[in-house]
Amino acid sequence: KRMMAFPLVKVLKTKAAYVEDKRELGNGWTANLGTRYEHHNTFGGDWASHIGLKKKTRMKNTHAYISWGQAVNNPTLKMLYANSPYWIGNPDLKQEKSHTVTLGIDSQVSDRLLVSASIYESKLKDALDWVWDTSISKTVYYNVNKEKRQGLNLSATYKIGRCFGKLRASYNFLRQRVDTGSGMTND
């Protein structure tokens, strides 16, 4: 009788709880504060918080905002344990942790048209990345020591009608710099 071999099954479990509070401060100012606790069965527990301030401008239906937030990005099962013809996992990966500052403006130009623009900067520690390893002809995942991302987002959303939904156009620019050990270089 022939036995079938099954691959080892890996399970990742995440549990999270968060609290968020939005406060009207007067004179068109609104504050948004929040924190999240996430427990991962492989990496343990982490806190990530955010704070934002929004101000209505003198232009009708327009507001400007600034926000700061933290994030934790856990490696996926594929990143940790993959073993296929195309990629190989790395069980030594660390969590990616980041801080992001965003400055933006949104305007409801008409009942149908919403436009927005924002710029942001993120600083990451142990950023998750991959490279094609020619020696084994597979994708290999690894952590980048430090990474800095700067970007610009421009978008417009137009409601076509009840039957057709919305049309959205956007432009996104990203500048990504990584620490190679001898300084930051463009990626």
Side-chain angles (χ1 to χ4, degrees), residues 27-103:
N27 293 329
W29 287 94
T30 305
N32 185 2
L33 309 159
T35 193
R36 172 186 170 98
Y37 178 77
E38 182 176 300
H39 187 272
H40 192 279
N41 68 325
T42 301
F43 298 104
D46 289 286
W47 289 93
S49 301
H50 69 271
I51 183 170
L53 283 173
K54 181 170 68 170
K55 171 74 168 121
K56 288 183 181 177
T57 67
R58 293 181 184 188
M59 295 184 294
K60 188 178 178 185
N61 298 323
T62 301
H63 68 270
Y65 61 91
I66 187 167
S67 66
W68 171 86
Q70 300 169 308
V72 176
N73 184 18
N74 295 308
T76 64
L77 280 170
K78 179 175 84 171
M79 291 174 173
L80 292 167
Y81 305 113
N83 187 6
S84 79
Y86 308 106
W87 53 75
I88 188 88
N90 178 356
D92 296 326
L93 288 174
K94 300 174 189 170
Q95 296 169 299
E96 175 181 279
K97 296 185 178 186
S98 65
H99 299 269
T100 301
V101 175
T102 305
L103 179 64

Side-chain angles (χ1 to χ4, degrees), residues 74 159 173 183 186:
N74 295 308
K159 292 181 188 174
F173 171 80
N186 289 332

Side-chain angles (χ1 to χ4, degrees), residues 1-2 18-19 27 34 46 66 83-84 88 90 104-105 109 116 119-120 126 131-132 156 162 167 181 184:
K1 193 172 184 180
R2 189 173 160 188
Y18 70 93
V19 161
N27 293 329
D46 289 286
I66 187 167
N83 187 6
S84 79
I88 188 88
N90 178 356
I105 189 165
V109 177
S116 62
I119 56 173
Y120 66 90
D126 296 320
V131 67
W132 180 259
R162 287 187 298 194
L167 177 64
M184 300 292 274

